[in-house]
């Protein structure tokens, strides 16, 4: 009897415990959206290009036939390829002045991140012709970059004439010769005035001289201006252009005008 009771109790215990419950299923993973990749930083805008055109060249005087060759003037006619330029009574040549001032302007602009180019590599060669000088600037603008071009000269006028003037193409032959060039011209006037120079007493008005006879300006397809920094025949101005400190002032004024035009 006792054996039967124990057996029944054992069966009841086993029936009450049963098999252990199965483990709960693993949670279903929740899909998470991938974090968006950071947007790439915009590429920096290419540096603006300024083509500086130092007038004339040191070898022009020994290549009279070459520089007398006729080239297109941009208005249906022709002009001589180039000229020898002028000089002070003391013999300081315009081509040397323009080369020196251009080098100074180049340093000032390059320090502000401007891509500066020149129409000639030295002051001992010949030319290039005026049409080629314009083409160098036009080709720089063909890549879609912001381009300005400034020709740097000094004048040879009557001894009593004084002051600078900035020449612009007129009437304009292209959109760039209109207001874009006028903006550049006005900025150059302001920059030179900021260095204490005064507008010309013998050419133009308020420092601007609108002309149809300068092939480099007529052929330009980027904003373009030509600066006649001083009258080298005027004794007082001759002393300024022959002085390195004076040339630095001209460079500072031209660079200020260019940078203002570029918004820098």
């Amino acid at each position: 009897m006792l054996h039967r009771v124990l057996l029944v109790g054992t069966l009841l215990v086993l029936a009450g415990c049963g098999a252990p419950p199965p483990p709960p299923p693993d949670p279903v993973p929740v899909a998470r959206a991938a974090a968006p990749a950071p947007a790439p930083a915009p590429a920096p805008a290419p540096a603006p290009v300024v083509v500086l055109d130092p007038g004339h060249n040191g070898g022009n005087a020994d290549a009279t036939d070459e520089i007398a060759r006729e080239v297109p003037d941009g208005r249906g006619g022709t002009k001589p390829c180039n000229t020898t330029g002028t000089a002070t009574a003391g013999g300081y040549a315009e081509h040397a002045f323009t080369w020196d001032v251009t080098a100074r302007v180049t340093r000032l602009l390059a320090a502000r991140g401007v891509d500066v180019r020149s129409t000639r590599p030295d002051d001992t060669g010949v030319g290039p012709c005026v049409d080629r000088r314009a083409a160098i600037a036009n080709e720089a603008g063909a890549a879609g970059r912001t381009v300005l071009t400034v020709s740097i000269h000094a004048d040879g006028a009557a001894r009593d004439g004084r002051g600078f003037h900035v020449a612009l193409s007129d009437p304009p032959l292209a959109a760039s010769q209109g207001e874009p060039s006028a903006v550049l011209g006005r900025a150059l006037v302001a920059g030179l005035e900021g260095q204490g120079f005064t507008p010309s007493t013998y050419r133009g008005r308020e420092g601007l001289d609108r002309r149809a006879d300068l092939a480099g300006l007529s052929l330009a397809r980027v904003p373009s201006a030509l600066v006649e920094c001083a009258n080298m025949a005027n004794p007082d101005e001759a002393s300024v252009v022959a002085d390195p400190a004076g040339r630095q002032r001209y460079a500072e004024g031209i660079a200020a005008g260019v940078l203002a035009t570029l918004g820098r």
Side-chain angles (χ1 to χ4, degrees), residues 87-153:
T88 67
Y92 185 58
E94 181 185 359
H95 67 79
F97 168 78
T98 66
W99 179 251
D100 183 87
V101 171
T102 294
R104 295 170 186 271
V105 177
T106 297
R107 289 191 290 270
L108 292 167
L109 295 180
R112 298 290 293 274
V114 178
D115 180 356
V116 188
R117 306 177 190 182
S118 178
T119 58
R120 57 183 173 99
D122 52 47
D123 194 38
T124 59
V126 177
C129 296
V130 288
D131 60 331
R132 179 59 194 151
R133 291 173 188 246
I136 290 169
N138 293 341
E139 290 162 5
R145 299 176 71 177
T146 298
V147 179
L148 306 175
T149 181
V150 179
S151 292
I152 299 173
H153 287 254

Side-chain angles (χ1 to χ4, degrees), residues 52 97-109 152 188 191-192 195 197 227 229 244-259:
L52 298 177
F97 168 78
T98 66
W99 179 251
D100 183 87
V101 171
T102 294
R104 295 170 186 271
V105 177
T106 297
R107 289 191 290 270
L108 292 167
L109 295 180
I152 299 173
L188 290 167
L192 289 166
Q195 290 297 315
F197 298 112
V227 182
C229 293
R247 296 195 294 273
Q248 183 64 24
R249 287 172 57 209
Y250 283 114
E252 295 275 358
I254 292 169
V258 169
L259 291 170

Side-chain angles (χ1 to χ4, degrees), residues 50-71:
V50 173
V51 178
L52 298 177
D53 176 31
H56 313 289
N57 207 329
N60 283 7
D62 296 323
T64 53
D65 288 345
E66 184 172 350
I67 65 171
R69 178 170 58 87
E70 294 290 312
V71 298

Side-chain angles (χ1 to χ4, degrees), residues 237-251:
E237 295 201 331
S239 66
V240 177
V241 301
D243 181 359
R247 296 195 294 273
Q248 183 64 24
R249 287 172 57 209
Y250 283 114

Side-chain angles (χ1 to χ4, degrees), residues 11 16 20 24 31 45 55 72 79 81 89 96 113 121 131 171 177 195 205 218-219 226 230 232-233 244 247:
L11 292 175
K79 289 199 74 165
C81 161
D131 60 331
Q177 295 177 18
Q195 290 297 315
R205 181 179 178 184
S218 296
L219 290 163
L226 184 150
M232 296 184 89
R247 296 195 294 273

